[in-house]
Amino acid sequence: MNLATDSDIPFNRSSLRGRELEYIFQTITIGQIAGDQTFSKKCHALLEQVLGVPRAMVTTSCTHALEMCALLLDIQPGDEVIVPSFTFVSTANAFALRGAKIIFADVRPDTLNLDEEQLAGLISARTRAVVPVHYAGVGCEMDEIVRIATQHGVAVVEDNAHGLFGKFRGRWLGTFGCLAAQSFHETKNITCGEGGALLINDERLIERAEIIREKGTDRSRFFRGQVDKYSWVGIGSSYVMSDVLAAFLYGQLEVWPAIQTQRQRIWTYYDQHLRPWAQERGIGCPVVPAHCEQSYHMYYLVMRSLEQRQALIAQLKSRGILGVFHYVPLHLSPVGQRMGGRSGSCPVSEEKSDRLIRLPCFNSLTPAEQDQVITAVQQFQP
Ligand SMILES: Cc1ncc(COP(=O)(O)O)c(C=O)c1O
């Protein structure tokens, strides 16, 4: 079922995949609209079972799951955290919020993922964490990243906002770092509007994560009957997702194979029709290495120049189709520059950011709509 939008083919459109509304109704009738109740627990169990992670906790957003990571790692002012420049603000901001200095790594020109060859050179005595982002749900080179980080005693936190149900060398994304953050924001394959999850692979972090997520209290232990009252036992904040949203989320999570199959169909259709056209014109398409099973989160083109990208966005817009750019490089943002970012220091991020356009990609995109997008792109004179 499609819900209303105000553009012919928007960049994203919300849709229902199963029993989301029925489950939301249930939360109200059984009086469970706060957090960590039946539907949150179902989400936790599903993520833990499918991914094989020791603990999954739904959160108010991926941003908040990343903030929890910074608190769990006890990031302090002066600590350094390495993030790719080509990412969303939250990857860096969550750690900057604790006073960390952000060290920007450039990305690989093929996958647009953190360039693992630069990693060792960016590590200093102050480095506490590296945050690889699996861009578009295509895995970073995790063997190498984990090897280098482990060698230097640096924590790996995966920003897996795009990559739920993607794999690297047969292993789920989100299971390589001691911690990983998921997003269920409206643009993601599986959504509840605004939401996220923290995946905890290092079991030693579970108890503190429960406290941090519950406003610094041992409320989770109280609910398990392990203490007879709960109290303020550490620092924390309010990162618990309402069960109203968890109900929506579970309605999608329980049919995740069908959603992933649909995304794969959409991605493959774009790729079959646009890759030959793009290749003839020196325009780039997503690169998915053979050892990566991607999550089919987005389809993008890398145009030959900024002007060409802007012209394509304008042409699509004139036909009622919304294509969007992605990521202004963080090292050139006002905050990034205050942290030492300079023009030219992450050349691949700068160049790709100017040239990349994301095409409409959402679960209810129909073949007819996709044909419209493909025709509009193919009629563009680069
Ligand atoms: C790589 C990355 N990390 C984090 C986020 C933040 O996710 P959320 O909106 O769930 O906080 C996003 C947003 O799309 C993202 O692209």
Side-chain angles (χ1 to χ4, degrees), residues 61-63 66 87-88 90-91 133 159 161-162 183 185 188 195 327:
S61 64
C62 178
T63 302
L66 288 164
T87 184
F88 190 69
S90 301
T91 318
V133 175
D159 181 337
H162 305 173
S183 176
H185 177 254
K188 303 304 183 288
Y327 297 151

Side-chain angles (χ1 to χ4, degrees), residues 36 155 197 304 326 348 378:
D36 269 347
R304 290 207 305 266
H326 213 196
V348 181
Q378 288 176 339

Side-chain angles (χ1 to χ4, degrees), residues 104-120:
F104 297 104
D106 206 356
V107 291
R108 295 169 54 113
D110 53 359
T111 56
L112 312 185
N113 280 334
L114 188 144
D115 185 349
E116 69 284 354
E117 288 190 5
Q118 294 189 6
L119 183 56

Side-chain angles (χ1 to χ4, degrees), residues 165-236:
F165 304 127
K167 287 183 175 174
F168 175 81
R169 295 198 196 284
R171 181 167 156 189
W172 297 111
L173 300 180
T175 65
F176 290 86
C178 58
L179 296 162
Q182 302 295 150
S183 176
F184 300 117
H185 177 254
E186 67 163 350
T187 53
K188 303 304 183 288
N189 298 17
I190 287 166
T191 182
C192 58
E194 298 278 359
L198 178 67
L199 306 182
I200 305 176
N201 295 307
D202 182 341
E203 299 189 27
R204 292 169 300 180
L205 298 172
I206 293 176
E207 194 173 334
R208 277 188 54 235
E210 287 180 346
I211 292 166
I212 287 168
R213 183 166 163 271
E214 273 284 17
K215 301 106 182 156
T217 72
D218 53 355
R219 197 159 177 247
S220 302
R221 297 184 69 208
F222 170 73
F223 281 131
R224 287 197 296 267
Q226 291 166 327
V227 285
D228 56 7
K229 56 184 180 323
Y230 68 89
S231 180
W232 185 19
V233 293
I235 56 162

Side-chain angles (χ1 to χ4, degrees), residues 331-332 336-346 350:
H331 72 287
L332 296 182
Q337 291 195 35
R338 286 207 292 277
M339 291 190 177
R342 292 288 169 267
S343 183
S345 58
C346 295
E350 291 171 33

